[in-house]
Amino acid sequence: MSDEHPWTRYVAIGDSFTEGIGDPDTHSVGGHRGWADRVAETLADRTDEDFGYANLAVRGRLLGQIVDEQAEAAVALGPDLITVSAGGNDIIRPGSDPDALAERYDRMIATLRRDGATVVLFTGPDVGMTPVLGMVRGKTAIYNEHLQAIALQHGALVTNLWALRVLRDPRMWAADRLHHSPLGHATVAAAVLDTLGVAHELGAAVPEPLAARPWREARVEDLGWAKEYLVPWVVRRVRGTSSGDGITAKRTSMQPVAPRD
């Protein structure tokens, strides 16, 4: 690991994962901090050069939307580092095909690597322990294998979230069980910096194991979760709407990064 790194212009693209949903922060642009902001803060702190950061991610975006709305826009900003997470919202939709998604993802990575930027992509985490995402565990695993091959072909780096077993802890997830909690975002940020070989002080927090919960208590919590989060998600799918409708990216241009504690 090194305190020094070669990057001065960082662009993050993707969906809610990269926007930082699940990690609310009134001091952050857009009201959410997230792992990408944490990575940018560390990179800015580890260079004597002027450092710029843009985040084009928007919650709810599908792979095709990220390709059409964010990929070329990211390259146009002249970055030397790009992180991209895309396809997760497609995978959880019934009938989606991980093989077809991978073909489009491959073309997107070729675009992002076109001018020589370092590109970091992500495998999906192992979601077998969650009530909704667990149903697409098999598709996620197939998609992940494609992403590993795509990264190898194009000389991109991979942050392997599937291998990050600590993300299976429920405290790594927000109350909606779809997005990472602040602890989860900090853990992902540490993993990205490890992938880049950049020294940091974030650490990958490993909480003490949770005590077993009574069955009835867990079921009551599941019912509350379904009413508050699952039903609205299903309704949006039926209506063809998205949580990202009317939302714009929080950092559409290269901006300096304010130091954080």
Side-chain angles (χ1 to χ4, degrees), residues 104-118:
R104 191 158 197 184
Y105 200 105
D106 178 84
R107 294 192 293 271
M108 176 179 64
I109 297 301
T111 296
L112 298 178
R113 285 280 293 150
R114 186 174 62 211
D115 295 337
T118 299

Side-chain angles (χ1 to χ4, degrees), residues 39-244:
V39 168
E41 291 156 13
T42 299
L43 294 177
D45 187 56
R46 294 287 192 274
T47 181
D48 293 329
E49 304 293 330
D50 291 336
F51 185 85
Y53 165 50
N55 189 321
L56 308 183
V58 176
R59 69 198 76 170
R61 291 300 191 258
L62 300 171
L63 173 60
Q65 293 172 310
I66 293 169
V67 171
D68 294 341
E69 300 169 8
Q70 299 178 27
E72 286 288 356
V75 174
L77 291 173
D80 49 25
L81 173 64
I82 303 171
T83 57
V84 52
S85 177
N89 289 323
D90 300 80
I91 289 293
I92 64 177
R93 294 192 171 208
S96 60
D97 181 355
D99 299 327
L101 290 171
E103 291 181 6
R104 191 158 197 184
Y105 200 105
D106 178 84
R107 294 192 293 271
M108 176 179 64
I109 297 301
T111 296
L112 298 178
R113 285 280 293 150
R114 186 174 62 211
D115 295 337
T118 299
V119 172
V120 180
L121 53 88
F122 298 81
T123 62
D126 186 354
V127 291
M129 73 297 179
T130 60
V132 173
L133 300 183
M135 295 186 293
V136 297
R137 187 174 188 241
K139 285 202 297 184
T140 301
I142 294 170
Y143 193 52
N144 285 349
E145 288 300 308
H146 281 301
L147 299 186
Q148 295 278 10
I150 290 167
L152 183 63
Q153 177 181 350
H154 294 286
L157 303 176
V158 179
T159 296
N160 191 337
L161 299 185
W162 186 282
L164 200 59
R165 308 311 287 174
V166 69
L167 290 181
R168 292 177 60 85
D169 189 295
R171 288 164 292 189
M172 294 286 173
W173 297 83
D176 63 7
R177 305 184 187 179
L178 294 171
H179 300 100
H180 289 295
S181 64
L183 178 61
H185 278 284
T187 301
V188 171
V192 174
L193 291 166
D194 289 344
T195 300
L196 293 172
V198 175
H200 60 86
E201 299 175 357
L202 297 180
V206 181
E208 291 295 321
L210 287 170
R213 300 171 58 213
W215 180 89
R216 186 178 299 277
E217 179 184 328
R219 297 295 76 76
V220 169
E221 184 176 302
D222 287 343
L223 289 172
W225 166 80
K227 179 179 180 180
E228 185 171 358
Y229 298 107
L230 178 59
V231 171
W233 182 84
V234 172
V235 169
R236 288 198 299 272
R237 298 289 78 75
V238 171
R239 293 177 175 173
T241 60
S242 168
S243 59

